Amino acid sequence: MSTSLTNLATQVAQTVATESAALAAMTKLVPVEIAIINESTVLTDAQVAPAVVAIQTQVSRDFAPIYGKTARLLFFNKSATIPPEMWQIAILDDSDQAGALGYHDITVSGQPLGKVFAKTTQTDGLSWTVTLSHEALEMLQDPWINRCFEVDDGSGNPTQFQADEVGDPCITGDTRIALLD
C-alpha cells in the first residue's frame, strides 16, 4: 500500500474511533427532565404534544452531540402535577415582557423556567414551535443564565460580552422545524 493510502486509512480509522468515542460519551450523558406545560388557550394539547416529540428529536439528534448536554422533554397538560425537581417550560398566551416571544429565567428556588408566548408569537406571524425550540435549547445550554463569551471586532480587539444564547444567531426569519411542517 502506498504511503498516501496508508495515511488515508489511518485518518479514516482515527475519525471512526473519534466518532465512536463521541457516540459512546453521548450514551453516558445524564439527561435533565424538562416539563413542557400547555397553559395556552390558543393551542390544544393535540398540537403541543407532537411538537414536544419533534423538539426531543432536535435535542437528542442535533443539540446533544455538539453541546454535550441532553434532556428528556415531557409533555404535561395544565391540570397535571409537575414533579418539583423538573425544569419547566410553560406555554402561555400573552407575553409578560414587552417584545418577548419567550424567555428563560430561574425560579426563586433556583430551578430553570422557560416561558413561551404562543398567542403573542402567532400575532407576530411567527411559529410558536420555533419559540419553544429556541427556549428549550437556550435553557439547556445555559440553565442558570450565567454563561457568556467575549466577541471581538475581527482584529482581535475585545468589544463586548454576549450572553450564551445558542438560538439567537438563528433568528433571522422563519426557521420552522422540518419535523413539524
Side-chain angles (χ1 to χ4, degrees):
M1 194 180 321
S2 73
T3 303
S4 61
L5 284 177
T6 302
N7 290 341
L8 179 60
T10 301
Q11 288 175 342
V12 168
Q14 289 171 341
T15 300
V16 168
T18 300
E19 289 178 0
S20 296
L23 289 171
M26 281 177 31
T27 62
K28 295 178 183 173
L29 292 177
V30 178
V32 297
E33 291 189 325
I34 302 176
I36 311 292
I37 308 130
N38 183 20
E39 296 181 14
S40 172
T41 62
V42 297
L43 298 174
T44 66
D45 291 347
Q47 291 172 293
V48 176
V52 173
V53 171
I55 295 168
Q56 177 67 67
T57 299
Q58 180 187 36
V59 166
S60 301
R61 184 192 67 201
D62 304 328
F63 186 85
I66 302 301
Y67 290 94
K69 300 171 183 180
T70 192
R72 280 188 56 223
L73 305 180
L74 302 162
F75 171 75
F76 290 88
N77 64 35
K78 65 179 116 198
S79 63
T81 301
I82 312 302
E85 69 277 2
M86 291 184 80
W87 298 2
Q88 297 180 24
I89 298 177
I91 301 173
L92 308 163
D93 284 340
D94 299 307
S95 181
D96 59 6
Q97 291 190 18
L101 303 179
Y103 63 86
H104 64 285
D105 203 347
I106 51 175
T107 65
V108 276
S109 64
Q111 286 289 84
L113 169 69
K115 293 183 179 183
V116 171
F117 305 109
K119 185 176 179 183
T120 302
T121 301
Q122 290 174 334
T123 299
D124 283 0
L126 300 169
S127 172
W128 65 271
T129 59
V130 173
T131 305
L132 178 58
S133 165
H134 179 111
E135 295 309 325
L137 297 180
E138 288 190 349
M139 188 164 74
L140 191 54
Q141 172 64 8
D142 187 13
W144 293 278
I145 317 160
N146 62 357
R147 294 178 51 121
C148 66
F149 55 91
E150 191 172 19
V151 179
D152 69 38
D153 64 2
S155 62
N157 299 315
T159 58
Q160 61 183 326
F161 284 91
Q162 295 283 331
D164 193 359
E165 299 281 315
V166 297
D168 288 358
C170 304
I171 300 302
T172 59
D174 186 7
T175 52
R176 296 174 197 223
I177 300 170
L179 294 169
L180 296 174
D181 296 331

